[in-house]
Amino acid sequence: MERHEPADTRSMGIVHSALRRDLERTRLVLVSESPPDERRRRELADHIVWMMRALHLHHTAEDAGLWPLIRARNPSASALLDEMATDHRRIAPAITALEEAARAYRVDAGARERLLGALAGLNEVLLPHLRREELEMMPVVGATLTTAEYLAVENEYFVKPKGIVELGAEGPWIVDGATPEDRDVILHVIPAVPRFVLMQTFGRRYRRKAARLWSDGPAAAVRPLKVSPGRDDVASVEPSPLRDGTGRIGSRNLAD
């Protein structure tokens, strides 16, 4: 392989951190002693279904665009890529189970325990996969592609297939609570003009939704959850530093 500066793959971990953040927020709302009212319960269920669609599209983009390119460029990565594919096959039914449980919870608050069980089932297979992808797979991607090549794959497979509404919902969600550096990484994947429209128009909409979902309870203080290598190469999950020191959801600083 031709040697080059490692590709900047930080966006992968930033997206994963947003997903971990909201899975934990969801769990905290569900185990709260004060159950959500009907409107909040329905919005929470809808948000879970939306997240699962976003996760499915994320895995589809990896399977269709990123992993085949790495396999072609770097045959030594085949075993790890096979693990990624196996993980995706294990995660898919857990995504479906959580979607179904969320739809049941949307119409019946009594489905809360089923939803909690499905959430735990997804976390069991998803979180180790995200950790391995960030700590093992992304260094391989960085060593195989240039930053320009990685950004081209992101644009072709992760951005272009989505419409303006989908990107508008996803962008502010990803950068909610992110550090300025992480926010910059994500927003500059999108060209300047649509980026401005997305964050100004859809950012306000997202802040209202987040305020309703997470309110002022423990879930509101959960920040993006980043993976970092711990002792003996065991990864731990750490919250990102708060940008404004408050953690309030709906603050203009979080997704403006």
Side-chain angles (χ1 to χ4, degrees):
M1 292 181 352
E2 183 181 349
R3 295 181 63 83
H4 56 75
E5 289 299 315
D8 183 352
T9 63
R10 287 177 293 169
S11 59
M12 187 69 73
I14 296 167
V15 172
H16 290 178
S17 297
L19 180 60
R20 283 187 292 256
R21 178 202 65 214
D22 273 22
L23 291 174
E24 176 60 11
R25 283 174 171 174
T26 298
R27 186 191 68 81
L28 288 172
V29 171
L30 292 174
V31 301
S32 171
E33 293 182 1
S34 302
D37 60 26
E38 183 175 352
R39 179 185 180 184
R40 190 180 180 202
R41 188 189 80 234
R42 290 175 181 272
E43 288 204 60
L44 181 62
D46 290 343
H47 183 61
I48 294 168
V49 171
W50 176 83
M51 278 198 297
M52 293 304 97
R53 170 173 164 76
L55 177 57
H56 171 72
L57 291 175
H58 183 79
H59 284 176
T60 298
E62 289 175 341
D63 292 338
L66 186 56
W67 302 154
L69 180 58
I70 300 303
R71 193 179 292 274
R73 292 280 191 87
N74 187 353
S76 66
S78 292
L80 187 52
L81 288 165
D82 290 345
E83 288 183 29
M84 295 292 105
T86 298
D87 283 352
H88 283 189
R89 288 193 292 270
R90 294 179 64 215
I91 292 165
I95 290 175
T96 300
L98 185 56
E99 287 174 330
E100 292 174 350
R103 291 189 176 100
Y105 180 68
R106 192 182 195 281
V107 298
D108 178 12
R112 183 177 70 97
E113 290 300 324
R114 175 185 172 186
L115 182 54
L116 275 168
L119 180 61
L122 176 70
N123 283 339
E124 184 177 354
V125 292
L126 176 65
L127 298 185
H129 166 73
L130 299 182
R131 181 177 64 206
R132 182 162 55 250
E133 189 171 294
E134 290 172 54
L135 297 182
E136 299 179 34
M137 192 70 242
M138 285 303 103
V140 173
V141 173
T144 305
L145 303 180
T146 65
T147 293
E149 289 169 333
Y150 181 74
L151 289 174
V153 171
E154 273 196 316
N155 185 60
E156 185 67 25
Y157 292 93
F158 292 82
V159 176
K160 280 177 64 175
K162 298 170 184 174
I164 190 72
V165 172
E166 200 154 21
L167 289 172
E170 196 171 282
W173 172 76
I174 293 172
V175 302
D176 182 354
T179 64
E181 294 78 13
D182 287 352
R183 177 186 172 92
D184 234 29
V185 168
I186 293 299
L187 295 186
H188 283 85
V189 173
I190 306 168
V193 173
R195 178 171 71 238
F196 177 82
V197 173
L198 288 175
M199 298 309 294
Q200 292 300 313
T201 302
F202 291 94
R204 289 190 291 270
R205 184 181 303 175
Y206 172 79
R207 290 193 296 275
R208 291 193 294 268
K209 172 187 171 180
R212 293 192 302 268
L213 280 175
W214 315 124
S215 189
D216 292 318
V222 178
R223 295 160 279 168
L225 297 173
K226 290 190 172 186
V227 161
S228 62
R231 203 163 38 184
D232 299 326
D233 293 327
V234 175
S236 57
V237 176
E238 300 178 350
S240 300
L242 285 173
R243 291 179 59 197
D244 61 1
T246 68
R248 287 184 59 83
I249 302 302
S251 163
R252 186 171 181 82
N253 285 336
L254 293 181
D256 57 4

